[in-house]
Amino acid sequence: MIESEKRIKWYMLSFMAFSTLWGFGNVVNGFLYFNGVQVIFSWIMMFLLYFIPNAFMVGELGSAFKNEGGGVTSWIRSTTNEKLAYYAGWTYWACHITYIASKGSGGLKALSWMIFQSSEAYDAIPTIYIQVATLVVFLFFCWVASRGINPLKNLATLAGSSMFVMSILYILMMFAAPKINPGGGYLSADWTFDNLIPTFDMKYFTSLSILVFAVGGIEKMSPYVNKMEGDPSRAFPKAMIFAAIMVIISAIFGTIAMGMMFDPELINASPEAFDSYLANGAYMAFQQLGEYYGIGNTLMIIYALCNTIGQFSTLVVSIDAPLRMLLEDDRANKFIPRTLLKKNKYGAFINGIKLIVILCGAIIVAQIVAPGAAAVLRQLTKLNSIVMPLRYLWVFVAYIALRKKTNEFPREYKFVKGNGIALFFGGWCFFVTAACCLLGIISDDPFQMMLNIITPVVLIALGMILPVLRAREDKKLGIEK
């Protein structure tokens, strides 16, 4: 294959970014948390003021460190030091703890919709039984990971792609539905200016972490900056702007499509109603879409099947992959106690998996006190939106450090030429991420707020304790660093 054939065209990178970052769940969460079509204003602001600058900064970091394979950890190591790089790697792994804890619940919910084809049967089961089942599922996949096998890795990719296709299919079919079935009983959203501008109250600001979580993760595109066809300084911005436009269009039209189905007043009628819509909204949307087309629950069952496979396969991948990234890095694992580096005969980090069992198991067991299965999923969705974006903070730390040493790192692509403007955007995105995570902790639900506070504190504290324990080990062994 000649070199030109290996290059990635700008529009190919756009579609790669779009399919990696976006999904139907983002549309549903935005619609529910931000009062229906009012979320359109917030989506546009988030893309303009956060997503696009973030993407361009990631492009510059990827260009500067094109030969580094460790992503954010490598960027931090190159621009600062190995100790901070360890903390970046730890944060990436620790953020997956809440994510792993949510996958079992999400998989069981999807499976229940595929079998019972409604929310009532699953939501009526006492929380203690749901959480016991979730714990059993979680422990089973931990066992799978401990055997050194990962049979679901390819399924995770396939399920992710199919969920992306289903998201686009929903929008297209929903807009065509009124023409095909004019008597479907569609709702008409309020498009007045007053209704489109959200109320900037505490509820609004404490929900912004949901949107940050939705649009984050663009750093996954960084390895491709210097593999693009043509001049990266022109091709990469074009790719990211086009990806942003596609995401904006999907967010807006997906929101409009949901506005034709769901009434925000019914969603916000009570905390129980909100929890039910949050847990079941995506399935209800495909169920209703199937009714518009006269095919019953067919679309919903396909969506539930894809989501069941996706949730469970992502669970085992998330147990295995981030742990290996942290513990197999010789420069990061020198800050981690040797007992966590132990491998079993299958090549799995058995004590690392046991640590995951303790941390995720604690979250799963703690939620036994939640007032129902729907409340469990709401709590985990909010917790993920607070914890997962913490890893994005290291992207902006790396970017600020890069621009402060700008002459030391030659690169083909720069976000902006002026250092002052670059540092401003790095600081701005850091501030937005940190502020949204901190505000997201606030909740009217005392248990939710306790979970929001204790979980990141425990994970951060553990990340700080491990290097101390390793230093004591090294001192006993007479090892000098």
Side-chain angles (χ1 to χ4, degrees):
M1 184 180 289
I2 61 173
E3 182 64 24
S4 62
E5 291 177 327
K6 297 179 182 178
R7 292 288 170 178
I8 299 173
K9 297 182 183 296
W10 69 268
Y11 54 85
M12 291 174 62
L13 187 65
S14 291
F15 283 109
M16 287 168 62
F18 180 48
S19 60
T20 300
L21 295 173
W22 198 247
F24 188 59
N26 295 327
V27 177
V28 175
N29 289 341
F31 185 88
L32 297 178
Y33 271 97
F34 291 87
N35 200 34
V37 296
Q38 281 187 1
V39 74
I40 291 174
F41 173 87
S42 301
W43 277 130
I44 293 173
M45 290 297 100
M46 188 60 70
F47 290 126
L48 292 177
L49 300 179
Y50 185 82
F51 176 79
I52 292 177
N54 182 6
F56 290 167
M57 283 185 273
V58 164
E60 185 171 346
L61 285 160
S63 182
F65 306 110
K66 57 187 176 183
N67 297 319
E68 295 281 356
V72 178
T73 306
S74 298
W75 301 342
I76 293 291
R77 182 186 300 115
S78 299
T79 55
T80 57
N81 56 63
E82 289 189 345
K83 188 66 171 291
L84 282 181
Y86 154 76
Y87 284 121
W90 171 265
T91 303
Y92 183 85
W93 174 80
C95 287
H96 278 78
I97 294 300
T98 58
Y99 188 68
I100 291 167
S102 70
K103 292 295 104 176
S105 296
L108 288 175
K109 166 61 75 174
L111 187 62
S112 75
W113 268 94
M114 192 169 62
I115 296 171
F116 302 117
Q117 300 180 28
S118 72
S119 63
E120 285 79 9
Y122 184 81
D123 290 347
I125 300 173
T127 309
I128 186 170
Y129 298 135
I130 293 292
Q131 291 309 95
V132 168
T134 302
L135 186 62
V136 169
V137 167
F138 165 64
L139 292 175
F140 170 74
F141 284 114
C142 283
W143 175 81
V144 171
S146 72
R147 306 292 287 184
I149 53 177
N150 197 345
L152 303 180
K153 187 174 289 185
N154 292 332
L155 273 179
T157 303
L158 177 63
S161 301
S162 62
M163 290 288 284
F164 166 71
V165 171
M166 292 296 289
S167 301
I168 303 302
L169 190 66
Y170 170 79
I171 296 172
L172 295 176
M173 291 184 70
M174 193 58 218
F175 275 90
K179 299 292 184 183
I180 295 172
N181 180 14
Y186 313 99
L187 300 179
S188 180
D190 182 357
W191 294 106
T192 61
F193 180 80
D194 289 341
N195 186 62
L196 289 177
I197 302 301
T199 302
F200 298 105
D201 54 11
M202 184 57 71
K203 181 177 180 291
Y204 177 86
F205 289 108
T206 57
S207 299
L208 282 175
S209 60
I210 294 288
L211 302 188
V212 172
F213 181 33
V215 301
I218 193 68
E219 67 274 5
K220 295 175 184 176
M221 295 297 105
S222 62
Y224 305 107
V225 177
N226 293 296
K227 297 179 181 178
M228 298 191 69
E229 185 178 272
D231 181 4
S233 65
R234 293 177 178 271
F236 186 80
K238 186 192 297 185
M240 289 302 100
I241 289 174
F242 191 67
I245 290 172
M246 286 193 291
V247 172
I248 290 172
I249 290 173
S250 177
I252 292 174
F253 285 98
T255 299
I256 295 171
M258 291 207 72
M260 296 166 66
M261 278 188 174
F262 301 116
D263 184 351
E265 288 189 9
L266 295 178
I267 293 169
N268 297 310
S270 68
E272 293 76 19
F274 181 85
D275 287 354
S276 180
Y277 274 98
L278 188 65
N280 304 293
Y283 306 100
M284 292 162 64
F286 278 98
Q287 187 176 52
Q288 187 67 41
L289 186 63
E291 291 177 7
Y292 292 151
Y293 280 83
I295 55 175
N297 289 332
T298 303
L299 292 174
M300 181 275 292
I301 293 172
I302 295 172
Y303 176 81
L305 174 62
C306 294
N307 205 16
T308 301
I309 296 171
Q311 295 281 340
F312 288 146
S313 56
T314 302
L315 173 56
V316 72
V317 170
S318 297
I319 292 169
D320 180 66
L323 188 64
R324 290 186 180 277
M325 289 175 64
L326 177 67
L327 300 185
E328 287 184 341
D329 187 326
D330 291 335
R331 289 173 290 188
N333 65 23
K334 68 182 181 180
F335 297 102
I336 296 172
R338 289 176 176 81
T339 184
L340 287 176
L341 305 181
K342 178 184 175 182
K343 290 184 178 181
N344 61 13
K345 63 181 180 180
Y346 302 106
F349 289 99
I350 187 62
N351 289 334
I353 292 174
K354 289 178 181 177
L355 180 60
I356 292 174
V357 168
I358 293 170
L359 295 172
C360 292
I363 295 174
I364 293 170
V365 171
Q367 288 185 295
I368 286 175
V369 301
V376 168
L377 287 170
R378 185 252 302 158
Q379 290 171 358
L380 289 173
T381 298
K382 198 67 170 71
L383 184 61
N384 267 321
S385 77
I386 296 164
V387 175
M388 287 295 279
L390 291 175
R391 59 190 171 136
Y392 309 150
L393 292 173
W394 289 107
V395 174
F396 309 123
V397 170
Y399 186 73
I400 291 169
L402 170 67
R403 292 307 296 236
K404 286 187 173 181
K405 301 178 180 179
T406 189
N407 295 328
E408 297 179 25
F409 302 100
R411 48 207 185 272
E412 298 175 40
Y413 167 70
K414 284 187 178 182
F415 168 28
V416 289
K417 292 183 179 179
N419 246 21
I421 298 175
L423 291 171
F424 166 79
F425 276 109
W428 165 254
C429 286
F430 183 97
F431 168 77
V432 169
T433 306
C436 289
C437 289
L438 289 172
L439 286 169
I441 291 173
I442 300 170
S443 174
D444 294 331
D445 179 350
F447 181 80
Q448 173 84 70
M449 190 160 179
M450 182 184 70
L451 200 64
N452 294 348
I453 294 172
I454 291 176
T455 305
V457 167
V458 168
L459 294 175
I460 292 170
L462 190 58
M464 298 176 71
I465 290 170
L466 293 186
V468 175
L469 297 178
R470 177 58 184 265
R472 288 180 181 176
E473 279 186 5
D474 290 344
K475 188 176 181 180
K476 285 182 181 180
L477 296 171
I479 299 174
E480 295 290 336
K481 286 191 178 180

